[in-house]
């Protein structure tokens, strides 16, 4: 792309500064200019898409300046247009408070469901055991001040437990695993928008235009991690088992 004209023609965008004034300078908090906006409105769809692509490239650079490298990597992956599934490092995900909160919620829901099974009444003698499997799902959104918001927006954790509860003397031992699958689709929806710090309210229709003319493509994001458990569960004074997995 010609950095002097951005490929739009001399009569439409004569200087690179005209482009930068369209969206302003996010680093300095400078708003976009009216003149540049008027230039943008004169462009055809393909020319707008090229200008928007340049803006996404600038957005990637600003993300890296903020050390939001995961968000920048995802935006670049979309812009590159491979369409391949992107595996997300679960260690990074589990550093995000919203992910841990969703994980904890599913674990608490497993605890509540286990307590309804009345294993203390089903398992009467030493060595008796019972299998328990279940699957729970929870969708959540990243907070606007954290990188998760820019990296994926709303995503989902599906948690599947596979437990064995065994009577050991006067106690009950729960052993087994929970496998957490995190997933989301990096895509855009006509009519939707999101606030991006330094860039204002960015419409999904802009991204769809870039997909149409510049080869960007949506893709799937996936991650998986496993937790192992070996917990002794005591009888409550009034009956029932107290399942605390964390």
């Amino acid at each position: 792309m010609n950095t002097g004209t951005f490929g739009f023609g001399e009569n439409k965008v004569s200087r690179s500064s005209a482009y930068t004034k369209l969206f302003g300078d996010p680093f300095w908090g400078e708003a976009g200019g009216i003149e540049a906006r008027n230039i943008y409105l004169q462009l055809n769809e393909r020319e707008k898409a090229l200008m928007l692509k340049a803006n996404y490239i600038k957005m990637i650079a600003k993300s890296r300046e903020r050390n939001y490298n995961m968000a920048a990597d995802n935006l670049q992956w979309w812009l590159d247009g491979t369409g391949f599934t992107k595996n997300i490092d679960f260690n990074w995900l589990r550093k995000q408070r919203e992910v841990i909160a969703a994980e904890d919620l599913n674990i608490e829901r497993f605890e509540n469901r286990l307590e309804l099974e009345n294993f203390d009444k089903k398992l009467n003698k030493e060595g008796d055991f019972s299998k328990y499997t279940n699957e729970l799902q929870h969708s959540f959104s990243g907070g606007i001040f954290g990188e998760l918001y820019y990296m994926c927006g709303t995503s989902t954790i599906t948690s599947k437990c596979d437990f064995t509860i065994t009577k050991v003397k006067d106690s009950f031992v729960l052993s087994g695993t929970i496998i957490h699958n995190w997933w989301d689709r990096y895509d855009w929806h006509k009519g939707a928008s999101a606030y991006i710090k330094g860039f204002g309210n960015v419409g999904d229709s802009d991204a769809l235009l870039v997909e149409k003319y510049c080869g960007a493509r949506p893709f799937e994001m996936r991650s998986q991690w496993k937790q192992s458990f070996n917990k002794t569960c005591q009888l409550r004074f009034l009956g029932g088992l107290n399942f605390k997995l964390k």
Side-chain angles (χ1 to χ4, degrees):
M1 184 183 292
N2 185 313
T3 57
T5 65
F6 289 89
F8 306 140
E10 292 288 344
N11 64 326
K12 290 184 178 179
V13 181
S14 58
R15 295 174 294 111
S16 63
S17 61
Y19 153 70
T20 60
K21 288 180 180 177
L22 171 60
F23 299 101
D25 188 329
F27 186 75
W28 296 107
E30 177 185 315
I34 295 175
E35 179 184 356
R37 173 60 64 177
N38 288 336
I39 291 173
Y40 177 77
L41 293 174
Q42 295 174 38
L43 304 179
N44 62 38
E45 275 198 348
R46 182 177 179 278
E47 292 168 336
K48 286 179 178 176
L50 290 170
M51 203 169 189
L52 290 165
K53 179 179 178 180
N55 188 53
Y56 284 118
I57 291 171
K58 188 173 185 181
M59 197 179 292
I60 290 169
K62 293 300 178 183
S63 293
R64 297 205 187 282
E65 286 179 14
R66 297 182 65 189
N67 202 33
Y68 278 11
N69 291 309
M70 186 66 77
D73 289 348
N74 279 4
L75 188 55
Q76 187 69 62
W77 193 275
W78 167 75
L79 206 56
D80 289 344
T82 66
F84 299 142
T85 296
K86 191 172 191 294
N87 293 314
I88 305 299
D89 181 5
F90 75 87
N91 292 301
W92 181 90
L93 281 170
R94 297 190 76 243
K95 290 178 182 176
Q96 314 309 307
R97 58 181 178 80
E98 299 92 343
V99 174
I100 291 299
E103 176 189 290
D104 286 346
L105 177 63
N106 278 353
I107 290 174
E108 288 173 9
R109 292 165 69 195
F110 282 134
E111 291 172 349
N112 293 335
R113 283 159 174 74
L114 282 163
E115 290 180 1
L116 296 175
E117 293 293 321
N118 297 316
F119 290 110
D120 56 317
K121 295 182 174 61
K122 297 177 181 177
L123 309 177
N124 299 310
K125 62 181 185 297
E126 175 86 8
D128 282 356
F129 68 91
S130 181
K131 295 284 188 178
Y132 179 85
T133 59
N134 203 345
E135 185 172 287
L136 298 171
Q137 191 174 97
H138 179 62
S139 295
F140 59 99
S141 298
I144 196 169
F145 296 109
E147 186 177 3
L148 189 68
Y149 172 84
Y150 300 100
M151 178 263 199
C152 67
T154 298
S155 57
T156 303
I157 283 184
T158 300
S159 304
K160 184 175 181 178
C161 75
D162 186 0
F163 293 145
T164 299
I165 296 86
T166 305
K167 184 172 176 60
V168 180
K169 297 183 179 179
D170 295 328
S171 298
F172 297 82
V173 175
L174 177 146
S175 59
T177 61
I178 296 178
I179 295 177
H180 301 280
N181 283 285
W182 176 92
W183 53 276
D184 189 27
R185 182 167 174 79
Y186 198 97
D187 59 359
W188 314 90
H189 307 279
K190 187 175 180 179
S193 64
Y195 176 79
I196 306 298
K197 185 178 180 181
F199 289 83
N201 206 47
V202 178
D204 282 25
S205 57
D206 290 349
L208 292 171
L209 205 59
V210 173
E211 288 185 355
K212 182 176 180 181
Y213 291 100
C214 302
R217 291 178 62 189
F219 61 93
E220 301 292 330
M221 295 178 289
R222 301 281 173 180
S223 189
Q224 184 183 96
W225 61 97
K226 181 171 72 171
Q227 294 175 299
S228 297
F229 298 86
N230 195 327
K231 298 282 186 178
T232 298
C233 309
Q234 302 294 339
L235 276 168
R236 286 197 174 96
F237 180 73
L238 296 177
L241 290 174
N242 184 19
F243 286 97
K244 287 297 178 186
L245 300 179
K246 294 199 72 175

